[in-house]
Amino acid sequence: MTSKPSLTCEALLKEASSRIESDSPRLDAELLLSNITGLSRTSFRAWPEREVTNAHAEAFEALVQERVAGRPVAHLLGHQEFWSLPLKVSASTLIPRPDTECLVEVALALPLPPQASVLDLGTGTGAIALALASEHVGWRISACDAEPEAVALARENAVALGLNLSVVQSSWFLGLEPERFDLIVSNPPYIPDSDRHLEEGDVRFEPASALVSGSDGLDDLRLIISQAPDWLVEGGWLLVEHGFDQAEAVAQLFHTRGFKAVETRQDYGNRDRMTLGQWSSGA
Ligand code: GLN
């Protein structure tokens, strides 16, 4: 008589973790099993011997196979948390990164008016704009993205979260109605097109338009920094994310364009990852 293999949570998680090659195989497996069963990740620790149904085990195995093939967990789940907000994600935008929460923290610490007008350039899922909207109901927040799918996704996320956000389709400033903002934020593409890490991990499944920006990765940052002053109030701020080895070049672009109070800040890994500056025309 053959005994049925035991489908306990722990057995499934252990087996899946041993096949998934990522920075966090156990976490990935737990998120996928939680998504299928509706059980919380803590319950896997509290009741490791709990059995799951055959149907759930099969559905879990299908997701594990996709994860083993490299598909990002966020794409398999269809959502990703950012600033404690559950955001819908799709293959048409960048998956929000935890490090970008540092950009939100820096933005929130700026001396801005209670009814600040803010623009998020290249918003993707809407992550940065929605995080700011969740903290400041009084701010007037606009966001743009060149990709129609991203515009639709950011709008959908805003509606689902009940947050006020105006999203328009525009490649950087090109399609915007003339306006001056107290703060412009952006996490633009900044990876050099020859960077080898584009062939590894989750980035293989994200759109190149959200990642890659010319031979030194700075094409979009150059454009944003050069045009931002036309869209900032006197004393307004520009805050951008960039690669850990681009801080010096980006700070130089801010200085050359005439920004004041130029500063670089670090991400959670203590890498130079954001630069900001204040616009003053000197008039
Ligand atoms: N930080 C991302 C990565 O290295 C890139 C994000 C971006 O280009 N804006 O995977």
Side-chain angles (χ1 to χ4, degrees), residues 94 97 100 187-191 197 203 206 210-212 241 273:
L94 192 79
R97 311 281 202 263
T100 303
N187 174 17
Y190 51 71
I191 301 178
H197 111 259
V203 290
E206 293 174 292
L211 295 165
V212 182
E241 182 175 313
R273 228 14 213 305

Side-chain angles (χ1 to χ4, degrees), residues 255-273:
H255 284 298
T256 306
R257 185 63 184 85
F259 279 90
K260 305 283 187 294
V262 177
E263 265 188 71
T264 290
R265 299 288 179 80
Q266 287 70 41
D267 64 13
Y268 291 126
N270 214 26
R271 292 162 298 215
D272 289 340
R273 228 14 213 305

Side-chain angles (χ1 to χ4, degrees), residues 9 17 28 59 64 84 97 110 121 144 177 179 216 257 262:
C9 290
S17 312
D28 294 3
V64 170
S84 300
R97 311 281 202 263
L110 288 170
L121 285 172
C144 69
E177 295 291 327
E179 188 179 344
D216 61 358
R257 185 63 184 85
V262 177

